[in-house]
């Protein structure tokens, strides 16, 4: 490890570190535009100049281009270096369009900061300025090319880092231009990061265009809830409206970036139709009264039918606090639940994945980028957990290889191997792989070269297995765990990475004492044993896969108590509706899919946004001390009030209830000690028993036959996940729903590409255009759980559809 | 303390400088001054009977001015609200269909303003200006909260010529790329000529 001196202070850093990074470790921020920790150095901007006074390198050099060497002596304050940097700033400002006052970057602009730091307050250049035309880059990113300083960060990020090609650098000389060859919507689902990485205001956040300055925003660390990866972000709010998400660097999770679903999915929190009023059967009341009403209803039901007649259900987007209180309430009062998933299959999948994730195998999203050969089983990264695709892109960039075994026409922004395997054959293939890897391979001959893949994984310095939990069965999920273990036995290092369904799916799986899902709760409602349901932050209307059954069953309940912050048609029908606070108001903890416990702060106090209180004009001219429309509680507070007699108003009692609930939550989750959040929970304490046996041949399920097609309801990057699908911004970039099928399957079922198909289930129909995808497995039909589709007719998200159910005429 | 240090180099007083003489002299001078002013016209002006024209630069009630071409000057850049030491300015920026950034609403709470003039100094468009009108007293504190319509005045105020959108390189209905002060026409990126 070379040792060098920077500004008279010594530091030892690993070989290969750049001088600019070494200085940063000493807390010395050398100015930079083109250097970015995720993108590396190019030496384009020349603003990081420092003086090397002694040692192997001498003179003024770019600190981002020089690797540290033993004995270097660096001065960042050397007069010549300071003068050099001052001139660089001045010439970077020659063509600057003088538009900071109307630029949205103003206030957090690196160019602004360094211009001030370089003491370049007054323009000396009197010549003419070069100008550029802007492009329309779609609804997410605003383009203002005149502000560019040619640092190349955007093209390096867009093309090299994410692997998309539609934005880059054009032109020569002083006419260098960054944009698309023609105006148009950016193709990359990571395009929002351009607004973060551009050091000036060329790319700014379009949804918050001209809305405010960063210094006026309430900014706090928060988390993304739109998939299970738990990317870290900084949320900004102003006048009680969530305005913007920015990536919050976490080198173990999302690195420096976010996907566009995470960046632009926040609109639900300040939506005009967000329910803010407590109601009993549609009649508004104070939240205290409604809570009392609900509590009395629970008591009456328990007295009359016993504690098991009260069921609680929540979803995997609820915070750890909420889950802990629900778990405690069920244990203490004997209530049914908590159900944390919609279907039994999802519950089993979640639990299997969590149980199979042994501590020696678990890898983080960031560690995935260091893997060398990655096998993705039953996951569609770009659609299910977009940032995973970005991680895999880094694997491929550094010479690794990615193989995807999935029936869908998986697309990734780089070259990879795709085995389009029918879901019913996936288990057998994974099992064959395990046998091959363990060396007792008698791989059944299939069209796929299992032996070659096994050999490749075996020869890899660092193999990793990524497995989805949405379309697979628990059997395959457990097999993926076995595969990682087999690799671990031959390799000592192997990674296992499950993609779960929901931001807190890991914690939700830890609450499952018995297998209870919404499906089982409905069974019990139907047979009369459950009379009252408390549904917490779970949008049954949108998420339960059988809407008709749901509606019927809910009608049989004596009482339905709903706690949520999104608008749903059910809100006005239920006996008691209690408005809760989204993550921006409540904060809380979430456990991501690798078991990492992460915290989010509250960003703002809730209440009607200023658009509501003031129309589009100024806020009302009244003095008052309370915020209109702010009568909501964090779900866990409302639950504490429901379960504890005295907790209705006394916050301290609510907090005490929470503390005890968290302490009892799970031995693996230590929230009482000083364990800093952001660390992985103790996976050793998670029961690895109870995993379904993976011995014996995989049972052949009759899912593949010429007379049926296997329908998979899946996630898309945009338009399917409940919360982000409410974003008007993302609605502009989402694709309209289609049913994807292999061309041969389309033909064999007498359907026509581009024409609608109608699928009938018990007198209910779903009509959706068919689109051919030759990269898919035959015999499969893939439909997104799109908010524009009424897909809630199938009862499950993986079902067999018979030929007779498909109708080509589209009516 | 030593004796030496207390010594002074004062000379003894002459008879004309004796205390009696100088007291008489001062008395006479004082009466003379009074007598002189008794005969003079008073220079004190009684406010509010007399209202003086204050210097242009005196700092009192704040206004929002217009560009020379009559359009609203303020671009809602939030610099004045950021610099204001008592945080009495608030606004909401937005975009007009013509491409100009403007304040959808703009509020100054004169109950709090200390008339320091920092907002005027920070303003990049010469929109916000302090005027000599200091008579801004109200019984109801809420009437001291001025909205945009109360703040806007006709004309350019103290800066008769500056027009921000003539200089800033952003496109509005009046000027496109290359049409602002000291700009060349937009480059053709598809050209390979040097
Ligand atoms: S557009 Fe921004 S990121 Fe791209 S080169 Fe210009 S200044 Fe750098
Ligand atoms: S990958 Fe998932 S967690 Fe990360 S930003 Fe995107 S939606 Fe959010
Ligand atoms: S004069 Fe001073 S106190 Fe008054 S609004 Fe301007 S900056 Fe604020
Ligand atoms: S500083 Fe000037 S242009 Fe900016 S918001 Fe204030 S008045 Fe408007
Ligand atoms: S940061 Fe070193 S040259 Fe740009």
């Amino acid at each position: 490890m070379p040792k060098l001196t920077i500004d008279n202070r010594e530091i030892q850093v690993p070989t290969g570190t750049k001088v600019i990074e070494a200085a940063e470790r000493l807390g010395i921020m050398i100015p930079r535009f083109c250097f970015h920790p995720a993108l590396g150095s190019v030496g384009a901007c020349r603003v990081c100049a420092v003086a090397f006074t002694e040692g192997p390198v001498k003179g003024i050099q770019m600190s981002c281009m020089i690797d540290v060497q033993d004995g270097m002596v660096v001065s960042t304050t050397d007069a010549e270096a300071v003068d050099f940097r001052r001139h660089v700033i001045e010439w970077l400002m020659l063509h600057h369009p003088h538009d900071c006052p109307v630029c949205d970057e103003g206030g957090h602009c690196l160019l602004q900061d360094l211009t001030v730091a370089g003491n370049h307050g007054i323009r000396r250049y009197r010549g003419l300025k070069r100008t550029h035309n802007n492009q329309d880059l779609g609804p997410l990113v605003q383009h203002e090319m005149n502000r560019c300083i040619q640092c190349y960060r955007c093209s390096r990020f867009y093309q090299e880092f994410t692997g998309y090609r539609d934005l880059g650098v054009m032109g020569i000389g002083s006419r260098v231009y960054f944009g698309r060859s023609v105006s148009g919507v950016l193709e990359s689902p990571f395009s929002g990061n351009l607004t973060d990485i551009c050091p000036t205001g060329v790319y700014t956040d379009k949804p918050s265009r001209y809305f405010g300055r960063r210094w006026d925003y309430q900014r706090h660390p928060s988390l993304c809830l739109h998939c299970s990866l738990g990317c870290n972000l900084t949320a900004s709010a102003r006048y009680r409206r969530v305005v913007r998400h920015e990536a919050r660097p976490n080198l173990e999770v999302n690195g420096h970036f976010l996907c566009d679903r995470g960046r632009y999915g926040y609109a639900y929190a300040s939506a005009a139709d967000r329910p803010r009023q407590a109601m009993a059967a549609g009649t508004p009341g104070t939240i205290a009264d409604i809570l009392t009403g609900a509590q009395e209803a629970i008591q009456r039901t328990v007295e009359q039918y016993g504690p098991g007649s009260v069921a609680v259900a929540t979803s995997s987007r609820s915070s750890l606090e909420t889950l802990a209180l629900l778990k405690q309430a069920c244990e203490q009062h004997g209530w049914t639940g908590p159900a944390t998933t919609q279907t039994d299959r999802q519950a089993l999948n979640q639990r299997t994945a969590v149980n199979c994730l042994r501590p020696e195998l678990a890898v983080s999203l960031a560690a995935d980028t260091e893997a060398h050969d990655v096998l993705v089983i039953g996951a569609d990264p770009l659609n299910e957990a977009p940032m995973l695709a970005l991680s895999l892109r880094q694997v491929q960039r550094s010479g690794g290889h990615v193989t995807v075994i999935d029936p869908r026409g998986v697309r990734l922004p780089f070259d990879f191997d795709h085995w389009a395997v029918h879901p019913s054959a996936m288990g057998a293939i994974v099992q064959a792989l395990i046998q091959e890897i363990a060396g007792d391979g008698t791989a059944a001959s299939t069209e796929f070269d299992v032996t070659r893949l096994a050999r490749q994984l075996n020869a890899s310095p660092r193999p990793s297995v990524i497995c989805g939990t949405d379309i697979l069965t628990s059997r395959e999920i457990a097999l993926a765990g076995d595969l990682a273990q087999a690799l671990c036995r031959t390799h000592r290092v192997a990674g296992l990475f499950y993609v779960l369904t929901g931001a807190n799916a890991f914690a939700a799986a830890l609450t499952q004492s018995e297998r209870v899902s919404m499906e089982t709760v409905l069974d019990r409602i139907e047979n009369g044993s459950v009379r009252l349901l408390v549904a917490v932050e779970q949008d049954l209307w949108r998420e339960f896969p059988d809407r008709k059954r749901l509606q019927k069953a809910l009608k049989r309940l004596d009482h339905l108590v709903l706690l949520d912050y999104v608008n749903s048609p059910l809100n006005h029908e239920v006996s008691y509706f209690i408005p809760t606070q989204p993550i921006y108001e409540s904060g809380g903890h979430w456990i991501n899919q690798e078991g990492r416990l992460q915290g989010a702060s509250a960003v703002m106090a809730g209440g009607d946004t200023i658009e509501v209180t003031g129309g589009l004009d100024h806020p009302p001219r009244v003095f008052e001390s309370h915020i209109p429309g702010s009568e909501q509680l964090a779900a866990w507070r409302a639950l504490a009030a429901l379960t504890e007699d005295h907790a209705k108003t006394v916050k301290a009692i609510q907090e005490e209830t929470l503390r005890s609930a968290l302490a009892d939550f799970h031995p693996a989750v230590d929230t009482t000690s000083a364990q800093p959040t952001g660390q992985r929970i103790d996976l050793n304490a998670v029961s690895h028993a109870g995993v379904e046996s993976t011995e014996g041949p995989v049972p052949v399920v009759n899912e593949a036959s010429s007379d049926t097609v296997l329908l998979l309801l899946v996630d898309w990057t945009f338009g399917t996940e409940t919360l982000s699908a409410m974003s008007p911004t993302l609605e502009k970039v989402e694709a309209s729903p289609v049913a994807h099928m292999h061309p041969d399957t389309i033909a064999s079922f007498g359907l026509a590409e581009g024409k609608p198909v109608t699928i009938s289930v018990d007198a209910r129909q779903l009509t959706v255009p068919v689109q051919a995808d030759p990269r898919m497995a035959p015999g499969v039909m893939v439909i997104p759980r799109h908010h524009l589709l009424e897909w809630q007719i199938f009862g499950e998200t993986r079902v067999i559809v018979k030929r007779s159910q498909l109708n080509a005429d589209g009516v | 303390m030593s004796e030496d240090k207390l010594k002074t180099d004062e000379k003894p007083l002459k008879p004309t400088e004796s205390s009696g003489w100088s007291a008489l002299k001062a008395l006479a001078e004082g009466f003379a001054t009074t007598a002189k002013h008794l005969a003079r016209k008073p220079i004190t002006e009684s406010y509010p009977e007399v209202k003086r024209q204050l210097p242009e630069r005196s700092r009192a009630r704040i206004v929002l001015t217009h560009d020379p071409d009559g359009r609203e000057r303020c671009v809602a850049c939030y610099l004045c609200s950021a610099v204001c030491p008592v945080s009495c300015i608030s606004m909401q920026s937005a975009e007009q269909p013509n491409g100009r950034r403007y304040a959808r609403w703009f509020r100054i709470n004169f109950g709090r303003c200390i008339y320091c003039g920092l907002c005027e100094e920070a303003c990049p468009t010469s929109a916000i200006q302090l005027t000599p009108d200091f008579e801004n007293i109200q019984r109801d504190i809420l009437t001291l909260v001025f909205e945009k319509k109360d703040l806007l005045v006709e004309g350019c105020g103290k800066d008769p010529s500056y027009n921000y959108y003539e200089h800033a390189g952003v496109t509005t209905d009046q000027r496109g790329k290359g049409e602002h002060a000291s700009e060349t026409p937009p480059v053709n990126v598809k050209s390979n000529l040097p």
Side-chain angles (χ1 to χ4, degrees), chain A residues 396-413:
Chain A
Q396 180 261 355
R397 269 182 82 198
S398 53
H401 195 87
V402 177
T403 308
V404 179
I405 307 183
D406 194 282
R408 289 166 281 191
V410 174
R411 274 164 180 80
L412 291 170

PDB file of all heavy atoms in Angstrom, chain A residues 396-413:
ATOM      1  N   GLN A 396     -21.062  -7.876 -16.551  1.00  0.00           N
ATOM      2  CA  GLN A 396     -20.706  -8.107 -17.949  1.00  0.00           C
ATOM      3  C   GLN A 396     -19.592  -7.166 -18.388  1.00  0.00           C
ATOM      4  O   GLN A 396     -18.691  -7.557 -19.117  1.00  0.00           O
ATOM      5  CB  GLN A 396     -21.971  -7.917 -18.802  1.00  0.00           C
ATOM      6  CG  GLN A 396     -21.786  -8.120 -20.286  1.00  0.00           C
ATOM      7  CD  GLN A 396     -21.625  -6.816 -21.042  1.00  0.00           C
ATOM      8  OE1 GLN A 396     -21.736  -5.726 -20.455  1.00  0.00           O
ATOM      9  NE2 GLN A 396     -21.351  -6.914 -22.321  1.00  0.00           N
ATOM     10  N   ARG A 397     -19.614  -5.916 -17.892  1.00  0.00           N
ATOM     11  CA  ARG A 397     -18.582  -4.961 -18.278  1.00  0.00           C
ATOM     12  C   ARG A 397     -17.212  -5.390 -17.813  1.00  0.00           C
ATOM     13  O   ARG A 397     -16.202  -5.129 -18.460  1.00  0.00           O
ATOM     14  CB  ARG A 397     -18.869  -3.596 -17.635  1.00  0.00           C
ATOM     15  CG  ARG A 397     -19.693  -2.684 -18.472  1.00  0.00           C
ATOM     16  CD  ARG A 397     -19.866  -1.377 -17.760  1.00  0.00           C
ATOM     17  NE  ARG A 397     -18.723  -0.491 -17.933  1.00  0.00           N
ATOM     18  CZ  ARG A 397     -18.467   0.554 -17.153  1.00  0.00           C
ATOM     19  NH1 ARG A 397     -19.258   0.827 -16.142  1.00  0.00           N
ATOM     20  NH2 ARG A 397     -17.422   1.312 -17.371  1.00  0.00           N
ATOM     21  N   SER A 398     -17.180  -6.034 -16.640  1.00  0.00           N
ATOM     22  CA  SER A 398     -15.867  -6.404 -16.131  1.00  0.00           C
ATOM     23  C   SER A 398     -15.469  -7.799 -16.594  1.00  0.00           C
ATOM     24  O   SER A 398     -14.627  -8.445 -15.982  1.00  0.00           O
ATOM     25  CB  SER A 398     -15.854  -6.291 -14.609  1.00  0.00           C
ATOM     26  OG  SER A 398     -16.914  -7.034 -14.080  1.00  0.00           O
ATOM     27  N   GLY A 399     -16.119  -8.273 -17.656  1.00  0.00           N
ATOM     28  CA  GLY A 399     -15.667  -9.519 -18.261  1.00  0.00           C
ATOM     29  C   GLY A 399     -16.420 -10.740 -17.785  1.00  0.00           C
ATOM     30  O   GLY A 399     -16.094 -11.863 -18.186  1.00  0.00           O
ATOM     31  N   GLY A 400     -17.399 -10.570 -16.936  1.00  0.00           N
ATOM     32  CA  GLY A 400     -18.170 -11.709 -16.452  1.00  0.00           C
ATOM     33  C   GLY A 400     -19.236 -12.121 -17.450  1.00  0.00           C
ATOM     34  O   GLY A 400     -19.363 -11.549 -18.535  1.00  0.00           O
ATOM     35  N   HIS A 401     -20.009 -13.120 -17.054  1.00  0.00           N
ATOM     36  CA  HIS A 401     -20.989 -13.650 -17.978  1.00  0.00           C
ATOM     37  C   HIS A 401     -22.313 -13.867 -17.262  1.00  0.00           C
ATOM     38  O   HIS A 401     -22.347 -14.359 -16.145  1.00  0.00           O
ATOM     39  CB  HIS A 401     -20.482 -14.961 -18.558  1.00  0.00           C
ATOM     40  CG  HIS A 401     -21.263 -15.367 -19.756  1.00  0.00           C
ATOM     41  ND1 HIS A 401     -20.974 -14.943 -21.017  1.00  0.00           N
ATOM     42  CD2 HIS A 401     -22.366 -16.135 -19.845  1.00  0.00           C
ATOM     43  CE1 HIS A 401     -21.859 -15.433 -21.864  1.00  0.00           C
ATOM     44  NE2 HIS A 401     -22.724 -16.160 -21.172  1.00  0.00           N
ATOM     45  N   VAL A 402     -23.388 -13.503 -17.908  1.00  0.00           N
ATOM     46  CA  VAL A 402     -24.703 -13.646 -17.294  1.00  0.00           C
ATOM     47  C   VAL A 402     -25.545 -14.609 -18.114  1.00  0.00           C
ATOM     48  O   VAL A 402     -25.628 -14.483 -19.336  1.00  0.00           O
ATOM     49  CB  VAL A 402     -25.416 -12.266 -17.208  1.00  0.00           C
ATOM     50  CG1 VAL A 402     -26.809 -12.422 -16.633  1.00  0.00           C
ATOM     51  CG2 VAL A 402     -24.597 -11.295 -16.373  1.00  0.00           C
ATOM     52  N   THR A 403     -26.134 -15.578 -17.434  1.00  0.00           N
ATOM     53  CA  THR A 403     -27.056 -16.500 -18.093  1.00  0.00           C
ATOM     54  C   THR A 403     -28.401 -16.385 -17.392  1.00  0.00           C
ATOM     55  O   THR A 403     -28.463 -16.411 -16.162  1.00  0.00           O
ATOM     56  CB  THR A 403     -26.561 -17.952 -17.980  1.00  0.00           C
ATOM     57  OG1 THR A 403     -25.212 -17.997 -18.439  1.00  0.00           O
ATOM     58  CG2 THR A 403     -27.426 -18.890 -18.802  1.00  0.00           C
ATOM     59  N   VAL A 404     -29.453 -16.246 -18.168  1.00  0.00           N
ATOM     60  CA  VAL A 404     -30.786 -16.112 -17.586  1.00  0.00           C
ATOM     61  C   VAL A 404     -31.624 -17.310 -17.999  1.00  0.00           C
ATOM     62  O   VAL A 404     -31.732 -17.618 -19.190  1.00  0.00           O
ATOM     63  CB  VAL A 404     -31.465 -14.810 -18.055  1.00  0.00           C
ATOM     64  CG1 VAL A 404     -32.865 -14.702 -17.464  1.00  0.00           C
ATOM     65  CG2 VAL A 404     -30.635 -13.608 -17.668  1.00  0.00           C
ATOM     66  N   ILE A 405     -32.172 -18.005 -17.004  1.00  0.00           N
ATOM     67  CA  ILE A 405     -33.108 -19.092 -17.297  1.00  0.00           C
ATOM     68  C   ILE A 405     -34.483 -18.605 -16.905  1.00  0.00           C
ATOM     69  O   ILE A 405     -34.797 -18.484 -15.725  1.00  0.00           O
ATOM     70  CB  ILE A 405     -32.747 -20.369 -16.499  1.00  0.00           C
ATOM     71  CG1 ILE A 405     -31.290 -20.745 -16.737  1.00  0.00           C
ATOM     72  CG2 ILE A 405     -33.680 -21.488 -16.862  1.00  0.00           C
ATOM     73  CD1 ILE A 405     -30.879 -22.028 -16.050  1.00  0.00           C
ATOM     74  N   ASP A 406     -35.288 -18.265 -17.887  1.00  0.00           N
ATOM     75  CA  ASP A 406     -36.588 -17.682 -17.585  1.00  0.00           C
ATOM     76  C   ASP A 406     -37.475 -17.831 -18.808  1.00  0.00           C
ATOM     77  O   ASP A 406     -37.015 -17.661 -19.927  1.00  0.00           O
ATOM     78  CB  ASP A 406     -36.424 -16.191 -17.233  1.00  0.00           C
ATOM     79  CG  ASP A 406     -37.668 -15.621 -16.592  1.00  0.00           C
ATOM     80  OD1 ASP A 406     -38.633 -15.326 -17.333  1.00  0.00           O
ATOM     81  OD2 ASP A 406     -37.687 -15.488 -15.362  1.00  0.00           O
ATOM     82  N   PRO A 407     -38.761 -18.143 -18.575  1.00  0.00           N
ATOM     83  CA  PRO A 407     -39.651 -18.310 -19.729  1.00  0.00           C
ATOM     84  C   PRO A 407     -39.970 -17.008 -20.446  1.00  0.00           C
ATOM     85  O   PRO A 407     -40.382 -17.014 -21.598  1.00  0.00           O
ATOM     86  CB  PRO A 407     -40.918 -18.897 -19.101  1.00  0.00           C
ATOM     87  CG  PRO A 407     -40.861 -18.511 -17.668  1.00  0.00           C
ATOM     88  CD  PRO A 407     -39.416 -18.465 -17.306  1.00  0.00           C
ATOM     89  N   ARG A 408     -39.795 -15.888 -19.768  1.00  0.00           N
ATOM     90  CA  ARG A 408     -40.157 -14.606 -20.380  1.00  0.00           C
ATOM     91  C   ARG A 408     -39.111 -14.171 -21.396  1.00  0.00           C
ATOM     92  O   ARG A 408     -37.983 -14.643 -21.364  1.00  0.00           O
ATOM     93  CB  ARG A 408     -40.283 -13.536 -19.293  1.00  0.00           C
ATOM     94  CG  ARG A 408     -41.495 -13.709 -18.424  1.00  0.00           C
ATOM     95  CD  ARG A 408     -41.410 -12.859 -17.188  1.00  0.00           C
ATOM     96  NE  ARG A 408     -40.549 -13.440 -16.169  1.00  0.00           N
ATOM     97  CZ  ARG A 408     -40.466 -12.999 -14.928  1.00  0.00           C
ATOM     98  NH1 ARG A 408     -41.161 -11.968 -14.561  1.00  0.00           N
ATOM     99  NH2 ARG A 408     -39.659 -13.585 -14.065  1.00  0.00           N
ATOM    100  N   GLY A 409     -39.475 -13.248 -22.241  1.00  0.00           N
ATOM    101  CA  GLY A 409     -38.514 -12.721 -23.210  1.00  0.00           C
ATOM    102  C   GLY A 409     -37.641 -11.681 -22.539  1.00  0.00           C
ATOM    103  O   GLY A 409     -37.661 -10.521 -22.902  1.00  0.00           O
ATOM    104  N   VAL A 410     -36.868 -12.140 -21.566  1.00  0.00           N
ATOM    105  CA  VAL A 410     -36.075 -11.214 -20.739  1.00  0.00           C
ATOM    106  C   VAL A 410     -35.167 -10.359 -21.609  1.00  0.00           C
ATOM    107  O   VAL A 410     -34.527 -10.837 -22.541  1.00  0.00           O
ATOM    108  CB  VAL A 410     -35.226 -12.013 -19.726  1.00  0.00           C
ATOM    109  CG1 VAL A 410     -34.291 -11.092 -18.963  1.00  0.00           C
ATOM    110  CG2 VAL A 410     -36.136 -12.773 -18.779  1.00  0.00           C
ATOM    111  N   ARG A 411     -35.159  -9.058 -21.312  1.00  0.00           N
ATOM    112  CA  ARG A 411     -34.254  -8.153 -22.022  1.00  0.00           C
ATOM    113  C   ARG A 411     -33.369  -7.440 -21.015  1.00  0.00           C
ATOM    114  O   ARG A 411     -33.832  -7.025 -19.959  1.00  0.00           O
ATOM    115  CB  ARG A 411     -35.059  -7.142 -22.830  1.00  0.00           C
ATOM    116  CG  ARG A 411     -35.408  -7.702 -24.190  1.00  0.00           C
ATOM    117  CD  ARG A 411     -36.501  -6.957 -24.906  1.00  0.00           C
ATOM    118  NE  ARG A 411     -36.742  -7.584 -26.213  1.00  0.00           N
ATOM    119  CZ  ARG A 411     -37.480  -8.686 -26.375  1.00  0.00           C
ATOM    120  NH1 ARG A 411     -38.053  -9.266 -25.334  1.00  0.00           N
ATOM    121  NH2 ARG A 411     -37.649  -9.210 -27.580  1.00  0.00           N
ATOM    122  N   LEU A 412     -32.104  -7.343 -21.372  1.00  0.00           N
ATOM    123  CA  LEU A 412     -31.144  -6.644 -20.517  1.00  0.00           C
ATOM    124  C   LEU A 412     -30.284  -5.773 -21.419  1.00  0.00           C
ATOM    125  O   LEU A 412     -30.076  -6.116 -22.582  1.00  0.00           O
ATOM    126  CB  LEU A 412     -30.276  -7.656 -19.756  1.00  0.00           C
ATOM    127  CG  LEU A 412     -30.968  -8.485 -18.669  1.00  0.00           C
ATOM    128  CD1 LEU A 412     -30.068  -9.603 -18.184  1.00  0.00           C
ATOM    129  CD2 LEU A 412     -31.389  -7.612 -17.506  1.00  0.00           C
ATOM    130  N   PRO A 413     -29.753  -4.683 -20.899  1.00  0.00           N
ATOM    131  CA  PRO A 413     -29.003  -3.771 -21.768  1.00  0.00           C
ATOM    132  C   PRO A 413     -27.570  -4.240 -22.037  1.00  0.00           C
ATOM    133  O   PRO A 413     -26.638  -3.445 -21.997  1.00  0.00           O
ATOM    134  CB  PRO A 413     -29.034  -2.456 -20.979  1.00  0.00           C
ATOM    135  CG  PRO A 413     -29.156  -2.874 -19.559  1.00  0.00           C
ATOM    136  CD  PRO A 413     -29.924  -4.148 -19.546  1.00  0.00           C
TER     137      PRO A 413
END
